[in-house]
Amino acid sequence: MPEVKLFDSERKIMECLWQGGEMSAKELAEELEKTVGWSKPTTYTVLRKCVAKGAVERMEPGFRCRALVSRAEVCRQETDELIRRNYGGSADRLVASLLGGKKLSAQEIERMKKLIEELE
């Protein structure tokens, strides 16, 4: 799957689809009006952008929509971009930045050790 870069507004559409599964554009508009305060035209505009990017599939009849990329894939892409842009592609520098100066509990240290062992 090619990378799909999502703006915050597009991410709101995706969150609805990831939580609710397949939805009609009308259902999306109603949900986003309640949760974000968007008008129907705003939702439809952002939804069209998601379709154009290949993140959402539009199906007829009824302008039904479903996510074509998973939350996990989007998170992986965004994390990879963060590491590349801010840490020179070095994941260990990201981890060092996240942990810098923090006191970890014994449980947290143990979980990190297990993660590292699984990656080896």
Side-chain angles (χ1 to χ4, degrees):
M1 175 94 209
E3 276 199 29
V4 177
K5 292 190 179 194
L6 299 173
F7 290 106
D8 288 345
S9 57
E10 296 160 344
R11 186 74 184 247
K12 290 181 185 345
I13 295 275
M14 298 306 294
E15 288 293 340
C16 284
L17 293 173
W18 291 328
Q19 289 174 3
E22 186 179 302
M23 299 173 79
S24 71
K26 181 181 178 188
E27 291 168 330
L28 277 168
E30 289 169 353
E31 179 63 25
L32 289 165
E33 180 182 17
K34 283 190 292 188
T35 60
V36 184
W38 286 359
S39 67
K40 191 175 189 180
T42 298
T43 298
Y44 284 14
T45 297
V46 177
L47 183 54
R48 277 193 298 276
K49 291 177 183 179
C50 290
V51 170
K53 287 183 174 187
V56 172
E57 179 181 25
R58 176 184 173 171
M59 301 166 290
E60 295 297 341
F63 198 160
R64 305 277 315 155
C65 303
R66 74 175 179 95
L68 292 176
V69 293
S70 69
R71 178 185 281 121
E73 182 63 18
V74 169
C75 287
R76 186 200 57 75
Q77 290 175 5
E78 290 177 354
T79 301
D80 289 348
E81 175 66 13
L82 172 76
I83 292 169
R84 185 194 61 73
R85 188 172 12 111
N86 294 323
Y87 300 97
S90 178
D92 61 327
R93 288 176 55 197
L94 168 66
V95 172
S97 175
L98 290 171
L99 298 178
K102 290 193 178 191
K103 178 78 172 139
L104 297 177
S105 70
Q107 282 183 323
E108 290 170 320
I109 292 170
E110 191 58 36
R111 283 196 306 262
M112 290 185 78
K113 284 180 182 177
K114 285 180 182 177
L115 283 171
I116 291 168
E117 287 173 7
E118 289 172 12
L119 293 172
E120 290 182 318

